[in-house]
Amino acid sequence: MILPKFYNILSGFCILIIFLLMSCREGYAFNIQHEHPRLINRALLQGIEKDRNKNNIAKQIRKDAKFNLPTPESELFVNGGGNSQIIKMFGIAYLIEGKDKYYHKAKTFIEYMLSVAVEKTDYQIISHLEALAYYYDMFYDVLEDEEKDKLKIEIFDRIKLLQNKKKGLLNYGGSHFHYTNRMVVIASLSIFEGDSEMESIINTAYQNMISGFVPFFKFLSEDDGGFHMGWEYSRYYIKGICEFFDVWRNATGEDLFAENQWLNKTFYFLLYGMRDDKTNWGTGDNHARHAGSIEKIIFQKLAMEYNNGYAQYAALDFEKKRRGWPSTEELFYDLFWKDESVQAVALENLPLVKPFERAGAYIFKEGWEGQNVTALFKNTPTYFFNHAHRDANHFEIWFKDDLAIDSGFYDAYWSSHWFNYYIRTVAHNTVTIFDPQERLADWDKIESNDGGQLFSQTHFAQPHNVAHLQNGMFNIAETKLIEDNENYALAVGDATRAYSAHKCELFKRHFLWLKKVENWDHPIIVVFDQVVSTKPEFEKRWLLHSIHKPEVKDNVITIKNGGGKLWNYIIQPQEFAVDVIGGKGREFEVNGINYPVQKSIHGGVEKAGAWRVELTQKTPAKAVNFLNVLVPTEKKTKKPPMIERISNGVRIENWSVVFENDRLNVETK
């Protein structure tokens, strides 16, 4: 029977083809170009003379390469990409002019770097590896065979070192595995010549990115662009993904940007994370909190890849307000990651209330132009440890400067200040429930009992992949944007599971943003909290942090900073006590012990704050409600709006806010 046999053969052949197509991402099937440089866009460089703007950028890079000779002792950065930026500067100058003097400068720097290299951390290894990869790739045509062989050994040894340090480069969604896998791909691409071992290394690291980190980030960001780490680390991760996608396309032709349209949405998370003074919200580990060239670089790239006019507008706004000359790094990305043809679109039509649900960040803005009141309500639904804080149901308020702040400072990962204050609940504008016998985690580094939210009892336990994010095992909170209309917006966060069940039965926070208030020029915020502990003696403390010492008079707390002022009206509990903690030697105090900031090479300590208010109910009770009205205004404002306590709520000018039937009812005359 020939016909059935033919169909069997044809069927088997089709199955084989389908299998090969499905498995091409699971095995090596990449068409890596043979020419160098392959890590950068060669086509763009070849046409640079015809583009006046690009040509001017290239001229400035060449000018830096001619006159800004690096002194290795001062230019050698052990962390970050400082080394590679120097090499890229010389490389661009060499590729455009073809003059060997740039090669000799780069070679001198590389030789010095290798002679003094300290490679104890993965960041240090990555910094040197990136410089070596771009040196090999950009100067390939002028390198002697002996030097190429030596460089390949240097690169390969560091790749193996990273593999050993990171247990074979796991495909975890977070932590440093993103950096290591990305850099292994870049470095391997630079020296790949078809050998099977390097082929296997590229494939493994690529798969870890494509099936590990990228889906992890996508799950968190695909709906609205949000990311859980806060704004400083989010920008590094977004830039890292863009770098990985860009290098991969340059070397193989495969367009991962087109396959990952969700990446465009991350622009909005970075945009809404900036206040009007170009500073970021303080949540998560961060240093100076200033948005800057990294945001501009990312905005340009997303505008270029996705024709995002809003991103183009935001990038141009950075350029207009830049102080001083752009760095060599910024010039490099202006050359390759900037498309002048994308039409900028003003931000005025974007919504003023923006939820990032999986990140648990809800942003409320008064407007886009000028100095506007803006607030953050944060209640991340998933437990994370790395660079995340115990800050469920936390809020921040900004007007003309920081008013209600996220306190503490990122002096060092694992420092006493970091572990006992900065990442803890006590450093945030939320609620603590104090059990004097509680130990929040069985770790030697944790000395303080702040009465706050719980750590995972397994060291570093957190989600590592999409399955962990989906199965609920790390869920600790839930938030819903209940209403967003022309007059007000209301978000409700339940953070009960963020605390130990042995002390907390309920912590629900209602965050109300009144957009329009009669006889008042700015939004007003109402925060209503329901807190129930398992025992009445577990004291509930409502926290409010500031940079300068707050003034307390009767039921009004006043915070001033820069040109802004914040009045906080205590409505509930009616019988309350207010403790003001802070000042020299008490800035970061927990139960009588101060955990000061260690010296840091990073600026921004002035944003760490030094004061907090702790509001408590005088009479112990299992259930305590806190109702506070927060009024941001100009520092010079003398007369506040009309605010008065009513049954189960508060009246604010034309608004009445009442809690009844387990919900916050908001009505206006």
Side-chain angles (χ1 to χ4, degrees), residues 366 372-375 396-401 403-404 513-514 520-526 559 563-569 629-635 637 641:
E366 182 181 9
N372 297 285
V373 176
T374 183
E396 297 176 50
I397 299 171
W398 186 97
F399 181 53
K400 296 183 179 292
D401 215 322
L403 296 174
W513 175 261
L514 297 176
W520 196 248
D521 294 333
H522 301 294
I524 290 177
I525 300 154
V526 180
I559 292 171
K565 177 166 62 178
L566 180 67
W567 283 311
N568 184 95
Y569 286 80
V629 179
L630 298 109
V631 184
T633 186
E634 287 80 5
K635 191 174 184 179
T637 302

Side-chain angles (χ1 to χ4, degrees), residues 418-435:
W418 182 86
F419 236 136
N420 290 289
Y421 183 83
Y422 179 52
I423 67 171
R424 306 291 289 282
T425 309
V426 70
H428 301 86
N429 301 313
T430 182
V431 168
T432 59
I433 303 171
F434 186 67
D435 170 11

Side-chain angles (χ1 to χ4, degrees), residues 542 555 570-577 615-619 624-628 645:
W542 190 92
N555 72 322
I570 303 168
I571 308 301
Q572 294 180 14
Q574 296 189 35
E575 297 294 324
F576 62 85
L615 169 64
T616 57
Q617 179 171 281
K618 282 187 174 181
T619 305
V624 175
N625 290 343
F626 295 100
L627 177 58
N628 289 270
R645 182 183 291 117

Side-chain angles (χ1 to χ4, degrees), residues 10 21 54 102 121 218 383 389 418 435 481 486 552 621:
L10 181 62
L21 289 171
K54 298 288 187 185
Y102 300 117
T121 70
K218 178 183 177 182
Y383 174 90
H389 294 186
W418 182 86
D435 170 11
L481 185 63
E486 63 177 348
V552 180

Side-chain angles (χ1 to χ4, degrees), residues 376-619:
L376 162 71
F377 177 45
K378 182 177 184 294
N379 192 35
T380 304
T382 306
Y383 174 90
F384 291 97
F385 176 79
N386 190 46
H387 300 306
H389 294 186
R390 313 280 67 82
D391 59 356
N393 272 350
H394 160 74
F395 68 84
E396 297 176 50
I397 299 171
W398 186 97
F399 181 53
K400 296 183 179 292
D401 215 322
D402 290 287
L403 296 174
I405 70 166
D406 186 314
S407 72
F409 186 71
Y410 188 24
D411 54 355
Y413 201 76
W414 226 251
S415 73
S416 176
H417 171 78
W418 182 86
F419 236 136
N420 290 289
Y421 183 83
Y422 179 52
I423 67 171
R424 306 291 289 282
T425 309
V426 70
H428 301 86
N429 301 313
T430 182
V431 168
T432 59
I433 303 171
F434 186 67
D435 170 11
Q437 303 303 316
E438 183 177 26
R439 183 167 175 79
L440 288 145
D442 190 22
W443 302 348
D444 293 338
K445 284 280 185 178
I446 293 184
E447 302 169 4
S448 64
N449 175 8
D450 68 332
Q453 295 159 18
L454 199 61
F455 288 92
S456 169
Q457 295 305 300
T458 304
H459 283 216
F460 316 115
Q462 61 179 355
H464 288 311
N465 51 50
V466 173
H468 289 165
L469 293 171
Q470 291 176 324
N471 64 20
M473 64 185 294
F474 290 100
N475 287 3
I476 58 169
E478 181 181 358
T479 310
K480 292 182 180 178
L481 185 63
I482 302 296
E483 185 65 61
D484 179 20
N485 58 46
E486 63 177 348
N487 294 314
Y488 72 90
L490 173 63
V492 179
D494 189 334
T496 306
R497 286 175 292 173
Y499 299 78
S500 171
H502 92 274
K503 70 175 183 181
C504 180
E505 293 182 0
L506 178 69
F507 174 28
K508 184 180 287 188
R509 168 161 283 181
H510 302 70
F511 191 91
L512 174 63
W513 175 261
L514 297 176
K515 302 177 183 180
K516 301 175 182 179
V517 179
E518 278 187 6
N519 306 314
W520 196 248
D521 294 333
H522 301 294
I524 290 177
I525 300 154
V526 180
V527 177
F528 176 70
D529 299 318
Q530 301 165 270
V531 189
V532 181
S533 61
T534 56
K535 296 180 180 180
E537 60 265 31
F538 291 167
E539 188 174 56
K540 278 69 73 179
R541 301 171 183 171
W542 190 92
L543 308 177
L544 182 63
H545 290 264
S546 61
I547 290 176
H548 303 296
K549 185 177 181 179
E551 303 167 12
V552 180
K553 184 177 180 181
D554 300 326
N555 72 322
V556 182
I557 302 164
T558 303
I559 292 171
K560 299 176 184 177
N561 189 28
K565 177 166 62 178
L566 180 67
W567 283 311
N568 184 95
Y569 286 80
I570 303 168
I571 308 301
Q572 294 180 14
Q574 296 189 35
E575 297 294 324
F576 62 85
V578 172
D579 289 330
V580 178
I581 299 172
K584 189 173 182 179
R586 301 190 67 196
E587 301 95 330
F588 313 110
E589 182 179 296
V590 183
N591 295 331
I593 300 175
N594 196 46
Y595 296 93
V597 173
Q598 295 179 354
K599 290 183 179 180
S600 174
I601 62 172
H602 300 282
V605 180
E606 69 278 358
K607 296 283 189 180
W611 297 90
R612 76 174 180 268
V613 167
E614 294 190 348
L615 169 64
T616 57
Q617 179 171 281
K618 282 187 174 181
T619 305

